[in-house]
Coordinates of all heavy atoms in Angstrom, one line a residue:
A1082 N 17.0 1.7 -7.9 CA 16.4 0.8 -7.0 C 16.3 -0.6 -7.6 O 15.4 -0.8 -8.4 CB 15.1 1.3 -6.5
V1083 N 17.3 -1.4 -7.3 CA 17.3 -2.8 -7.9 C 16.3 -3.7 -7.2 O 16.4 -3.9 -6.0 CB 18.8 -3.3 -7.8 CG1 18.8 -4.8 -8.3 CG2 19.7 -2.4 -8.5
S1084 N 15.4 -4.2 -8.0 CA 14.3 -5.0 -7.4 C 13.7 -5.8 -8.6 O 13.6 -5.3 -9.7 CB 13.3 -4.2 -6.7 OG 12.1 -4.9 -6.4
A1085 N 13.1 -6.9 -8.2 CA 12.2 -7.6 -9.2 C 11.0 -6.8 -9.6 O 10.6 -6.9 -10.8 CB 11.8 -9.0 -8.6
L1086 N 10.6 -5.9 -8.8 CA 9.4 -5.1 -9.1 C 9.7 -3.9 -10.0 O 8.8 -3.3 -10.6 CB 8.7 -4.6 -7.8 CG 8.1 -5.6 -6.9 CD1 7.2 -4.9 -5.9 CD2 7.3 -6.6 -7.7
T1087 N 11.0 -3.6 -10.1 CA 11.4 -2.6 -11.1 C 12.1 -3.2 -12.3 O 12.7 -2.4 -13.1 CB 12.4 -1.6 -10.4 OG1 13.4 -2.3 -9.8 CG2 11.6 -0.8 -9.3
G1088 N 11.9 -4.5 -12.5 CA 12.3 -5.1 -13.7 C 13.8 -5.5 -13.8 O 14.3 -5.9 -14.9
H1089 N 14.5 -5.6 -12.7 CA 15.9 -5.9 -12.7 C 16.1 -7.5 -12.7 O 17.2 -7.9 -13.0 CB 16.6 -5.3 -11.5 CG 16.8 -3.8 -11.7 ND1 17.8 -3.2 -12.3 CD2 16.0 -2.8 -11.3 CE1 17.7 -1.9 -12.3 NE2 16.6 -1.6 -11.7
S1090 N 15.1 -8.2 -12.3 CA 15.2 -9.6 -12.2 C 13.8 -10.2 -12.2 O 12.8 -9.5 -12.1 CB 15.9 -10.0 -10.9 OG 15.1 -9.5 -9.7
P1091 N 13.6 -11.5 -12.5 CA 12.3 -12.1 -12.6 C 11.6 -12.1 -11.3 O 12.2 -12.2 -10.2 CB 12.6 -13.6 -13.0 CG 14.0 -13.5 -13.6 CD 14.7 -12.5 -12.8
V1092 N 10.3 -12.0 -11.3 CA 9.4 -12.1 -10.1 C 9.4 -13.6 -9.7 O 9.1 -14.4 -10.5 CB 8.0 -11.6 -10.4 CG1 7.1 -11.9 -9.2 CG2 8.0 -10.1 -10.7
P1093 N 9.7 -13.9 -8.4 CA 9.7 -15.2 -8.0 C 8.3 -15.8 -8.0 O 7.3 -15.2 -7.7 CB 10.1 -15.2 -6.5 CG 10.7 -13.8 -6.3 CD 10.1 -12.9 -7.4
R1094 N 8.2 -17.1 -8.4 CA 6.9 -17.8 -8.5 C 7.1 -19.2 -7.9 O 7.1 -20.2 -8.5 CB 6.5 -17.9 -9.9 CG 6.3 -16.6 -10.7 CD 5.9 -16.8 -12.1 NE 5.9 -15.6 -12.9 CZ 4.9 -14.7 -12.8 NH1 3.9 -14.8 -12.0 NH2 5.0 -13.6 -13.6
E1095 N 7.2 -19.1 -6.6 CA 7.5 -20.4 -5.8 C 6.2 -21.0 -5.4 O 5.4 -20.3 -4.8 CB 8.4 -20.1 -4.6 CG 9.8 -19.5 -5.1 CD 10.7 -19.2 -3.9 OE1 10.2 -19.3 -2.8 OE2 11.8 -18.8 -4.1
A1096 N 6.1 -22.3 -5.6 CA 4.9 -23.0 -5.1 C 5.0 -23.4 -3.7 O 5.3 -24.6 -3.4 CB 4.6 -24.2 -6.0
E1097 N 4.9 -22.4 -2.8 CA 5.0 -22.7 -1.4 C 3.9 -21.9 -0.7 O 3.3 -21.0 -1.3 CB 6.4 -22.4 -0.8 CG 6.7 -20.9 -1.0 CD 8.2 -20.6 -0.6 OE1 9.0 -21.5 -0.7 OE2 8.3 -19.5 0.0
P1098 N 3.7 -22.2 0.6 CA 2.6 -21.4 1.4 C 2.9 -19.9 1.4 O 4.1 -19.5 1.3 CB 2.7 -22.0 2.8 CG 3.3 -23.4 2.6 CD 4.2 -23.2 1.5
P1099 N 1.9 -19.1 1.5 CA 2.1 -17.6 1.6 C 3.1 -17.2 2.6 O 3.1 -17.8 3.7 CB 0.7 -17.1 1.8 CG -0.2 -18.1 1.3 CD 0.5 -19.4 1.6
V1100 N 3.9 -16.3 2.4 CA 4.9 -15.8 3.4 C 4.2 -15.0 4.4 O 3.3 -14.2 4.1 CB 5.9 -14.9 2.7 CG1 6.9 -14.3 3.7 CG2 6.7 -15.6 1.6
T1101 N 4.5 -15.3 5.7 CA 3.9 -14.5 6.8 C 5.0 -14.2 7.8 O 6.1 -14.7 7.7 CB 2.8 -15.4 7.6 OG1 3.5 -16.5 8.1 CG2 1.7 -15.8 6.6
A1102 N 4.7 -13.2 8.6 CA 5.7 -12.7 9.6 C 6.1 -13.9 10.5 O 7.3 -13.9 11.0 CB 5.1 -11.6 10.4
E1103 N 5.2 -14.8 10.8 CA 5.6 -15.9 11.7 C 6.7 -16.8 11.2 O 7.5 -17.4 11.9 CB 4.4 -16.8 12.0 CG 3.3 -16.1 12.9 CD 2.5 -15.1 12.2 OE1 2.6 -15.0 10.9 OE2 1.7 -14.4 12.8
R1104 N 6.9 -16.8 9.9 CA 7.9 -17.6 9.3 C 9.3 -16.9 9.3 O 10.3 -17.5 8.9 CB 7.5 -18.0 7.8 CG 6.4 -18.9 7.7 CD 6.1 -19.1 6.2 NE 7.2 -19.5 5.4 CZ 7.3 -19.4 4.1 NH1 6.4 -18.8 3.5 NH2 8.4 -19.7 3.5
E1105 N 9.3 -15.7 9.7 CA 10.6 -14.9 9.7 C 11.3 -15.1 8.4 O 12.5 -15.6 8.4 CB 11.4 -15.3 10.9 CG 10.8 -15.0 12.2 CD 11.7 -15.4 13.4 OE1 12.8 -15.9 13.2 OE2 11.2 -15.2 14.5
P1106 N 10.7 -14.6 7.3 CA 11.3 -14.9 6.0 C 12.5 -14.0 5.7 O 12.7 -12.9 6.4 CB 10.2 -14.5 5.0 CG 9.4 -13.5 5.8 CD 9.5 -13.9 7.2
T1107 N 13.4 -14.4 4.8 CA 14.4 -13.5 4.4 C 13.8 -12.4 3.5 O 12.7 -12.6 2.9 CB 15.5 -14.3 3.6 OG1 14.8 -15.0 2.5 CG2 16.2 -15.3 4.5
I1108 N 14.5 -11.3 3.3 CA 13.9 -10.3 2.5 C 14.0 -10.7 1.0 O 15.0 -11.0 0.5 CB 14.7 -9.0 2.7 CG1 14.5 -8.5 4.1 CG2 14.2 -7.9 1.7 CD1 15.4 -7.4 4.5
P1109 N 12.8 -10.7 0.3 CA 12.8 -11.3 -1.1 C 13.2 -10.3 -2.1 O 13.3 -9.1 -1.8 CB 11.3 -11.6 -1.2 CG 10.6 -10.6 -0.4 CD 11.5 -10.3 0.8
P1110 N 13.4 -10.8 -3.3 CA 13.9 -9.9 -4.4 C 12.8 -8.9 -4.9 O 13.1 -8.0 -5.6 CB 14.2 -10.9 -5.6 CG 13.5 -12.1 -5.2 CD 13.4 -12.2 -3.8
T1111 N 11.6 -9.0 -4.4 CA 10.5 -8.0 -4.7 C 10.6 -6.8 -3.8 O 9.8 -5.8 -4.0 CB 9.1 -8.7 -4.6 OG1 9.0 -9.3 -3.3 CG2 8.9 -9.6 -5.7
Y1112 N 11.5 -6.8 -2.8 CA 11.7 -5.6 -2.0 C 12.3 -4.5 -2.9 O 13.3 -4.7 -3.6 CB 12.7 -5.9 -0.8 CG 13.3 -4.7 -0.2 CD1 12.6 -3.9 0.6 CD2 14.7 -4.4 -0.4 CE1 13.1 -2.8 1.2 CE2 15.2 -3.3 0.2 CZ 14.5 -2.5 1.0 OH 15.1 -1.4 1.5
V1113 N 11.8 -3.3 -2.8 CA 12.3 -2.2 -3.6 C 13.0 -1.3 -2.6 O 12.4 -0.8 -1.6 CB 11.1 -1.4 -4.2 CG1 11.7 -0.2 -5.0 CG2 10.3 -2.2 -5.2
P1114 N 14.3 -1.1 -2.7 CA 15.1 -0.3 -1.8 C 14.5 1.0 -1.4 O 14.3 1.8 -2.3 CB 16.5 -0.2 -2.5 CG 16.6 -1.4 -3.3 CD 15.2 -1.6 -3.8
A1115 N 14.3 1.2 -0.1 CA 13.8 2.5 0.5 C 12.5 3.0 -0.1 O 12.2 4.1 0.1 CB 14.9 3.5 0.3
R1116 N 11.7 2.1 -0.7 CA 10.5 2.6 -1.3 C 9.5 3.3 -0.4 O 9.1 4.4 -0.6 CB 9.7 1.4 -2.0 CG 8.4 1.8 -2.6 CD 7.7 0.7 -3.3 NE 7.4 -0.4 -2.4 CZ 6.7 -1.5 -2.8 NH1 6.4 -1.7 -4.0 NH2 6.5 -2.5 -1.9
N1117 N 9.2 2.6 0.8 CA 8.3 3.3 1.7 C 8.8 4.5 2.3 O 8.1 5.5 2.7 CB 7.8 2.3 2.7 CG 6.8 1.3 2.2 OD1 6.2 1.5 1.1 ND2 6.5 0.3 2.9
T1118 N 10.2 4.6 2.5 CA 10.8 5.8 3.0 C 10.6 6.9 2.0 O 10.2 8.1 2.4 CB 12.3 5.6 3.2 OG1 12.5 4.5 4.1 CG2 12.9 6.8 3.8
I1119 N 10.8 6.6 0.7 CA 10.6 7.6 -0.3 C 9.1 8.1 -0.4 O 8.8 9.3 -0.5 CB 11.1 7.1 -1.7 CG1 12.6 6.9 -1.6 CG2 10.7 8.0 -2.8 CD1 13.1 6.1 -2.8
L1120 N 8.2 7.1 -0.4 CA 6.8 7.4 -0.5 C 6.3 8.2 0.6 O 5.5 9.2 0.5 CB 6.0 6.1 -0.6 CG 6.3 5.2 -1.8 CD1 5.2 4.0 -1.9 CD2 6.3 5.9 -3.1
L1121 N 6.7 7.9 1.8 CA 6.3 8.6 3.0 C 6.8 10.0 3.0 O 6.2 11.0 3.5 CB 6.7 7.9 4.3 CG 5.8 6.7 4.7 CD1 6.4 5.9 5.8 CD2 4.4 7.1 5.1
S1122 N 8.1 10.2 2.5 CA 8.7 11.5 2.4 C 7.9 12.4 1.5 O 7.7 13.6 1.8 CB 10.1 11.4 2.0 OG 10.9 10.7 2.9
L1123 N 7.4 11.9 0.4 CA 6.6 12.6 -0.6 C 5.3 13.0 0.1 O 4.8 14.1 -0.1 CB 6.5 11.9 -1.9 CG 7.8 11.6 -2.6 CD1 7.5 10.6 -3.7 CD2 8.3 12.9 -3.2
A1124 N 4.7 12.0 0.7 CA 3.4 12.3 1.4 C 3.6 13.3 2.5 O 2.7 14.2 2.7 CB 2.9 11.0 2.0
L1125 N 4.7 13.3 3.2 CA 5.0 14.3 4.2 C 5.1 15.7 3.6 O 4.5 16.7 4.2 CB 6.3 13.9 4.9 CG 6.8 14.9 6.0 CD1 5.8 15.1 7.1 CD2 8.2 14.5 6.5
A1126 N 5.7 15.8 2.5 CA 5.8 17.1 1.9 C 4.5 17.7 1.5 O 4.2 18.9 1.7 CB 6.7 17.0 0.6
W1127 N 3.6 16.8 1.1 CA 2.2 17.3 0.7 C 1.4 17.6 1.9 O 0.7 18.7 1.9 CB 1.6 16.2 -0.2 CG 0.4 16.7 -0.9 CD1 0.0 18.0 -1.1 CD2 -0.6 15.9 -1.6 NE1 -1.1 18.1 -1.9 CE2 -1.5 16.8 -2.2 CE3 -0.8 14.6 -1.9 CZ2 -2.6 16.4 -3.0 CZ3 -1.8 14.1 -2.6 CH2 -2.8 15.1 -3.2
I1128 N 1.4 16.8 2.9 CA 0.6 17.0 4.1 C 1.0 18.3 4.8 O 0.2 19.0 5.3 CB 0.5 15.8 5.0 CG1 -0.7 16.0 6.0 CG2 1.8 15.6 5.8 CD1 -2.1 16.0 5.3
E1129 N 2.3 18.6 4.8 CA 2.8 19.8 5.5 C 2.3 21.0 4.7 O 1.8 22.0 5.2 CB 4.3 19.9 5.6 CG 4.8 21.1 6.3 CD 6.3 21.2 6.5 OE1 7.0 20.5 5.8 OE2 6.7 21.9 7.4
S1130 N 2.3 20.9 3.3 CA 1.8 22.0 2.5 C 0.3 22.2 2.6 O -0.2 23.3 2.5 CB 2.2 21.7 1.0 OG 3.6 21.6 0.8
L1131 N -0.4 21.1 2.9 CA -1.9 21.2 3.1 C -2.3 21.7 4.4 O -3.4 22.0 4.7 CB -2.5 19.8 2.9 CG -2.5 19.2 1.4 CD1 -2.9 17.7 1.5 CD2 -3.4 20.0 0.6
G1132 N -1.3 21.8 5.4 CA -1.6 22.2 6.7 C -2.2 21.1 7.6 O -2.8 21.4 8.6
G1133 N -2.0 19.9 7.1 CA -2.6 18.7 7.9 C -1.5 18.0 8.7 O -0.3 18.5 8.7
E1134 N -1.8 16.9 9.3 CA -0.9 16.2 10.1 C -0.8 14.7 9.9 O 0.2 14.0 10.4 CB -1.2 16.4 11.6 CG -1.2 17.9 12.1 CD -1.5 18.0 13.5 OE1 -2.5 17.4 14.0 OE2 -0.8 18.7 14.3
E1135 N -1.7 14.1 9.2 CA -1.8 12.7 9.1 C -1.5 12.1 7.7 O -2.0 12.6 6.7 CB -3.2 12.2 9.5 CG -3.5 12.4 11.0 CD -5.0 12.0 11.3 OE1 -5.9 12.5 10.7 OE2 -5.1 11.1 12.2
I1136 N -0.7 11.0 7.7 CA -0.4 10.3 6.5 C -1.0 8.9 6.8 O -0.6 8.2 7.8 CB 1.1 10.2 6.2 CG1 1.7 11.6 6.0 CG2 1.3 9.3 5.0 CD1 3.2 11.6 6.0
F1137 N -1.7 8.3 5.9 CA -2.2 7.0 6.0 C -1.5 6.1 4.9 O -1.4 6.4 3.8 CB -3.7 6.9 5.6 CG -4.6 7.4 6.8 CD1 -4.8 8.7 7.0 CD2 -5.3 6.5 7.6 CE1 -5.6 9.2 8.1 CE2 -6.1 6.9 8.6 CZ -6.3 8.3 8.9
I1138 N -1.1 4.9 5.4 CA -0.4 4.0 4.6 C -0.9 2.6 4.9 O -1.1 2.2 6.0 CB 1.2 4.1 4.8 CG1 1.9 3.2 3.8 CG2 1.6 3.8 6.2 CD1 3.4 3.4 3.8
G1139 N -1.0 1.8 3.8 CA -1.6 0.4 4.0 C -0.6 -0.7 4.2 O -0.8 -1.8 3.8
V1140 N 0.5 -0.4 5.0 CA 1.4 -1.5 5.3 C 0.8 -2.4 6.3 O 0.0 -2.1 7.1 CB 2.8 -0.9 5.8 CG1 3.4 -0.1 4.7 CG2 2.6 -0.1 7.0

Side-chain angles (χ1 to χ4, degrees):
V1083 177
S1084 167
L1086 293 193
T1087 53
H1089 290 272
S1090 57
V1092 170
R1094 302 181 188 281
E1095 299 176 358
E1097 59 182 39
V1100 177
T1101 63
E1103 288 77 9
R1104 288 177 54 202
E1105 297 183 358
T1107 57
I1108 298 172
T1111 49
Y1112 162 73
V1113 179
R1116 178 178 60 180
N1117 283 347
T1118 304
I1119 294 167
L1120 301 188
L1121 284 169
S1122 296
L1123 296 169
L1125 175 62
W1127 197 12
I1128 196 63
E1129 184 177 21
S1130 298
L1131 289 168
E1134 298 180 314
E1135 292 179 301
I1136 300 168
F1137 283 76
I1138 184 170
V1140 295

